[in-house]
Amino acid sequence: MYLGFDIGGTNIKYGIFENDNLKEFNIVKTVDGRIIETLRFIIKRYKNIEGIGIASAGLVNFNNEIIFSPNIKELRNVNFKESLKDLCQNVKAINDVNAMALCEIKYGYGRKYKNFIVLALGTGVGGAIVINRRLYLGSNGFAGEFGHTKISLKGSRCKCGRRGCLEAFIGRNYILKSFSQNLDLHDIYKNAKKGDKDSINIFKKYSKYLSIALANFVNILDPEAIILSGGVANDIILRFTKRYLKREKIYRDVNIHISKYKNKAGVIGAILYLKEENLIL
Ligand SMILES: [Zn+2]
């Protein structure tokens, strides 16, 4: 029996994996400052755990240590394996979107495409690079930080410290700043579906920024497909992004899809990272 965690800025998701099946799946709120405590509390509830896979937002190195997570203060220079070693010896940690990509390789669009990128749209903007059905992690484990590529010399200062990052244009809080009403993107989505012009314009703007960034990634990596994931990805963004990307002159067709594994992909991927070595390049 394996335990998988997916730590994000808003929620911690976790699940039990047994005989290649996700048996149990739960969500608790993320309390910054009490994350390790929460993990320990959950782990102690289960017996016979053979291993723990952790997916987390932020820069996670090959030593199972998180160096920095722009939206979670507690997770700076925290070694997950060390912090949990008295409860379980077999612990591995990976960036959350890289974990999602592992789930995609094994169960999702990896069955259809060999080369693709994953972009997780949420509080932040995360990414992952898949080459020949293997996840590319880079020299430190930090590859695929698409959210922190610059799309403008101007723009707000990003939480990473730079100015003009993609995340500083379309990260949840940044894009909401440009909307006069006090609504979350889920409400704006509902209103856009009903035909509300202001709400539709928010997603148009969102998709414009996104397509500029995607054109950069396509020019660098030449993928067959782009998989959009995360809580903010939706059909309206998909539609406008396809339209705007056509205007970016990338001279080739790229398929864009929304992941079918939005919610559970991080947990499943964390366990895949723990168990299966042949998914990493
Ligand atoms: Zn940034």
Side-chain angles (χ1 to χ4, degrees), residues 147-148 158-162 165 167:
H148 302 288
C158 180
K159 281 192 178 161
C160 76
R162 300 176 79 208
C165 286
E167 181 166 312

